[in-house]
């Protein structure tokens, strides 16, 4: 079984976070500096723990936790940049949240569709991501779901990488054995340390230098 991370492994943003946040901010009648917003986002992302689903019993409750988590992150980015959207914040956040759940906000890395097709010929292949339920329409928009055996994400699993509970839930959902599984991702902490602590082999992606074609060559499955 091969598990694949999503953002940073299969696809990336079509524009930087700073440019996306600033572009949408203009529609809500306030200004953000893209470079400053990029720096603020990275700082806030780094210090903000993953969503905690312990209190949630149902999927809809975990969806609500995800949305509150993202709302808090956006508020912290505004504070970090010294911006006060005022009464525009609710509408601004709603548009941001919708935008980043659409295929147009993202683009697959070159060769991703072909690499997934090749992987599927040899392995049961699952996406396993810390994304929320918005992952599904993104994969579908780019037809990246076509060759997958399943799509696993933290909202449904009830835990986020690198938590061993997330890997345990993913293995159970995929009916897979850790000793016979490989996890592929771009984050050495969430993907790498999480996988290795849970008994899975790990392959680190760093597009464009190390991409899914590099993985196929490593596995001896590249069509060339």
């Amino acid at each position: 079984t091969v598990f694949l991370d999503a953002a940073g492994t299969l696809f990336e943003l079509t524009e930087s976070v700073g440019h996306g946040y600033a572009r949408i901010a203009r529609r809500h009648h306030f200004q953000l500096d893209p470079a400053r917003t990029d720096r603020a986002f990275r700082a806030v992302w780094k210090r903000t723990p993953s969503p905690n689903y312990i209190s949630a019993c149902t999927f809809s409750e975990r969806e609500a936790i995800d949305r509150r988590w993202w709302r808090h992150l956006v508020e912290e980015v505004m504070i970090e940049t010294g911006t006060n959207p005022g009464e525009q914040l609710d509408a601004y956040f709603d548009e941001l949240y919708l935008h980043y759940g659409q295929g147009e906000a993202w683009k697959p890395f070159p060769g991703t569709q072909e690499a997934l097709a090749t992987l599927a010929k040899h392995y049961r292949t699952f996406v396993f991501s810390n994304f929320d339920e918005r992952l599904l329409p993104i994969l579908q928009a780019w037809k990246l779901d076509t060759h997958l055996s399943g799509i696993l994400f933290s909202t449904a699993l009830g835990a986020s990488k690198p938590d061993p509970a997330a890997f345990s839930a993913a293995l159970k959902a995929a009916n897979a054995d850790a000793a016979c599984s490989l996890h592929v991702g771009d984050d050495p902490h969430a993907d790498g340390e999480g996988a290795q602590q849970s008994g899975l082999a790990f392959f680190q992606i760093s597009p464009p230098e190390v991409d899914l074609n590099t993985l196929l060559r490593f596995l001896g499955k590249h069509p060339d």
Side-chain angles (χ1 to χ4, degrees):
T1 303
V2 173
F3 294 98
L4 297 157
D5 181 45
T9 299
L10 303 181
F11 53 76
E12 64 178 342
L13 288 167
T14 57
E15 60 184 345
S16 72
V17 169
H19 279 89
Y21 275 43
R23 179 174 53 79
I24 293 173
R26 288 193 293 272
R27 291 209 286 268
H28 293 270
H29 311 294
F30 67 95
Q31 301 293 320
L32 289 171
D33 176 75
R36 187 173 183 181
T37 305
D38 267 329
R39 293 192 296 271
F41 183 88
R42 287 194 296 270
V44 173
W45 180 272
K46 186 175 181 179
R47 68 176 184 243
T48 305
S50 298
N52 185 339
Y53 302 110
I54 291 177
S55 63
C57 298
T58 67
F59 180 73
S60 62
E61 288 172 339
R62 293 193 290 272
E63 283 184 311
I65 288 172
D66 278 326
R67 189 178 178 89
R68 287 196 299 270
W69 187 89
W70 277 108
R71 170 59 184 262
H72 170 74
L73 186 140
V74 169
E75 288 178 348
E76 289 295 305
V77 170
M78 296 300 101
I79 292 170
E80 190 84 8
T81 60
T83 305
N84 181 11
E87 62 183 17
Q88 299 298 322
L89 180 59
D90 286 341
Y92 176 61
F93 170 73
D94 288 343
E95 186 171 352
L96 279 179
Y97 194 81
L98 178 64
H99 172 69
Y100 288 108
Q102 298 175 336
E104 66 186 31
W106 307 87
K107 59 182 178 181
F109 291 112
T112 295
Q113 179 71 262
E114 296 80 1
L116 289 176
T118 301
L119 280 171
K121 293 177 182 178
H122 304 281
Y123 307 99
R124 298 169 64 244
T125 306
F126 293 81
V127 165
F128 170 29
S129 170
N130 278 354
F131 223 109
D132 50 55
E133 75 281 358
R134 294 174 295 166
L135 175 62
L136 303 177
I138 294 168
L139 293 172
Q140 291 163 357
W142 291 102
K143 295 182 170 42
L144 299 182
D145 60 325
T146 306
H147 303 289
L148 298 174
S149 298
I151 300 168
L152 310 171
F153 52 96
S154 56
T155 313
L157 296 173
S160 301
K161 299 177 291 185
D163 189 341
F167 284 87
S168 177
L171 289 165
K172 182 177 180 180
N175 192 25
D177 182 351
C180 301
S181 298
L182 171 68
H183 182 57
V184 180
D186 65 304
D187 188 326
H189 174 57
D191 294 309
E193 293 177 19
Q196 291 165 351
Q197 290 172 3
S198 299
L200 290 78
F202 172 62
F203 185 91
Q204 185 171 349
I205 291 285
S206 182
E209 293 82 5
V210 181
D211 59 9
L212 291 184
N213 281 311
T214 314
L215 170 67
L216 291 176
R217 292 187 182 94
F218 171 76
L219 294 171
K221 306 300 183 184
H222 197 276
D224 294 343

